[in-house]
Every structure is written in C-alpha cells, then in structure tokens.
Amino acid sequence: MGFFTFIKVMMILFNLAIFLGGGALLGVGIWVTVDGQSFVKIFGGISSTVLQVVNIGYFLIVIGAILLIIGFLGCYGAQKESKCLLMMFFSVVLIIFIAEVAAAVVVLVYTSLAETFLTAVVTPILKEKYGDDHEFTHIWNVTMAEFNCCGLNNYTDFEGSPWYEQNKNFPPPCCEGLSPCSASLVATNVVQGCFDQILEDIKTNADVAGGVAAGIAALEIASMAVSMYLYCRLDQK
C-alpha cells in the first residue's frame, strides 16, 4: 500500500466516522424537537432546563447537518478522487475553523461587552417574568442552585419583579438557600451573579476547554492538509 492510498483510506475512515456522528446528532436533534417529553423522561430534569434554555433540539440538528455535509464531502470525495468535492471539503472546514477562531477572539476580547449586552437584555426580562412565568422562574431557580449564584449580576436584578412584589423578599439562592430572603439578609449574604460565576467556572476549567479546543483545531488543520494533499496528488495522476 502506497502513501497516497494510505492517506486516502484514512481520509475515508475519518470522514465516515464524522458522517455517522453527524447522523446520530441529527437523529437525536429531530427526536428532541418532535418528542422532547420522552427525552426529558429518560435524561431527567436537568435536560428539561437545557431544552428550555438553548432549545437543544435545533442546535443538534444544525450541528448534525454540518457534520453530515463535511463527512460526506470528505468521504465521498476521497473515495471517488473528486477534486471538486475535496476542495469543497477543504473550504467548509476552513470556514468553520475561521469562525471558531473569530468566536474565540470575540469571547476573550469582548467579555465585558457581552456582560453589558446581557445585562441590558436579560435584566428587564428577569424583572418582568420572574415569579410570574412558572417555566422561566423554574429555569432560573435551577440555574442559580446549580451555580450557587443570584440573578445575572446580583440580587438587585429581582427588584420590582413579580416575585418581589408578591413576597417582598428575594429568591432563596440569593441568601444561600435561606428563606425568607429579606432585604437585610440578602445584603449580608453577598452571592455572586450568575454571569461572573459561570465565567469563574469557565476559567477554572480553562485548561480542559483549551485542550479540547486545541484538539479540535488540530484535527481540522490535519483534515485540511490531507484533503489538499489528495487534491494536489490528483493533478499528478
């Protein structure tokens, strides 16, 4: 087996795995979108919160579809030795790679801007819906309990909310689980806002996240290099 053939086989197997993984994610995404309740029954209450926060069904459908396209272009392009498909594969992976780098730069550089934006958007919603919308309130209660945080920035996010107007106190997580969470008690229990708490958790796990990101980037660069190698070798055949 020559080097060209070896690279071609590896390209096919690698992208076949991507194609199958994409198909699996697409299937799960469709399942969650069509029958989310059965998904919740299997994976529990946390999945319910995730479903409501990020609408994970559509997210999985998009990611699954992208992986299907990438896997098909790479696998079929290598198998048929199609320069057109190999170039399309290279282009799609390159676009994704550039988008990931741009997203990483935005996250690192504009974290404070993101906090300002989220404060402007989320805080008014908290004041409007918390204590009035049952599902919205449940999502925030679970989030605050999981991350040991209070509101987006702090307890003042709940001032004027339906919950505060009805109970004249703040959510228990703002007082480390103590209830009733009065104004005097919440002032002595300085619980961090969820935005800062999530950022701290991300920084704590930055090494793991960085390792995963570096691994994904390395795979993307390797796949682009291999596809370009096959593309250039086809000119010589």
Side-chain angles (χ1 to χ4, degrees), residues 29-74:
I30 294 172
W31 169 35
V32 171
T33 303
V34 174
D35 188 18
Q37 291 305 311
S38 63
F39 182 83
V40 171
K41 288 178 182 177
I42 292 174
F43 293 99
I46 296 299
S47 64
S48 175
T49 302
V50 173
L51 282 174
Q52 296 167 36
V53 174
V54 299
N55 209 339
I56 195 172
Y58 293 109
F59 177 76
L60 290 177
I61 288 174
V62 171
I63 297 299
I66 292 173
L67 291 178
L68 275 175
I69 294 171
I70 292 174
F72 172 78
L73 291 175

Side-chain angles (χ1 to χ4, degrees), residues 14-230:
F14 176 72
N15 284 282
L16 180 60
I18 292 178
F19 183 84
L20 294 175
L25 286 179
L26 182 63
V28 172
I30 294 172
W31 169 35
V32 171
T33 303
V34 174
D35 188 18
Q37 291 305 311
S38 63
F39 182 83
V40 171
K41 288 178 182 177
I42 292 174
F43 293 99
I46 296 299
S47 64
S48 175
T49 302
V50 173
L51 282 174
Q52 296 167 36
V53 174
V54 299
N55 209 339
I56 195 172
Y58 293 109
F59 177 76
L60 290 177
I61 288 174
V62 171
I63 297 299
I66 292 173
L67 291 178
L68 275 175
I69 294 171
I70 292 174
F72 172 78
L73 291 175
C75 185
Y76 194 70
Q79 171 64 28
K80 294 298 183 180
E81 298 185 358
S82 169
K83 293 179 62 178
C84 178
L85 292 178
L86 288 172
M87 182 52 68
M88 288 177 64
F89 172 85
F90 177 87
S91 301
V92 171
V93 176
L94 179 61
I95 291 171
I96 293 173
F97 179 77
I98 293 173
E100 289 171 349
V101 172
V105 171
V106 168
V107 168
L108 292 173
V109 175
Y110 296 104
T111 300
S112 59
L113 181 62
E115 182 177 10
T116 303
F117 174 76
L118 286 173
T119 300
V121 173
V122 176
T123 302
I125 298 175
L126 271 175
K127 292 182 181 294
E128 177 187 349
K129 292 187 174 183
Y130 188 85
D132 184 41
D133 187 317
H134 175 73
E135 294 297 331
F136 181 85
T137 304
H138 174 69
I139 290 170
W140 269 97
N141 285 340
V142 172
T143 301
M144 290 189 292
E146 286 289 325
F147 289 97
N148 191 28
C149 58
C150 172
L152 184 67
N153 297 302
N154 52 49
Y155 69 91
T156 59
D157 292 341
F158 297 104
E159 291 178 344
S161 67
W163 171 277
Y164 185 82
E165 295 301 323
Q166 293 166 15
N167 301 284
K168 299 304 178 184
N169 56 52
F170 297 92
C174 296
C175 293
E176 298 181 337
L178 299 176
S179 183
C181 183
S182 63
S184 58
L185 184 60
V186 76
T188 60
N189 288 272
V190 184
V191 179
Q192 200 169 29
C194 292
F195 184 86
D196 291 334
Q197 185 61 47
I198 291 171
L199 276 184
E200 278 194 10
D201 288 348
I202 291 174
K203 290 174 182 177
T204 301
N205 298 286
D207 291 340
V208 176
V212 171
I216 293 173
L219 284 175
E220 290 171 342
I221 293 172
S223 63
M224 286 189 289
V226 169
S227 64
M228 187 53 62
Y229 169 79
L230 293 175

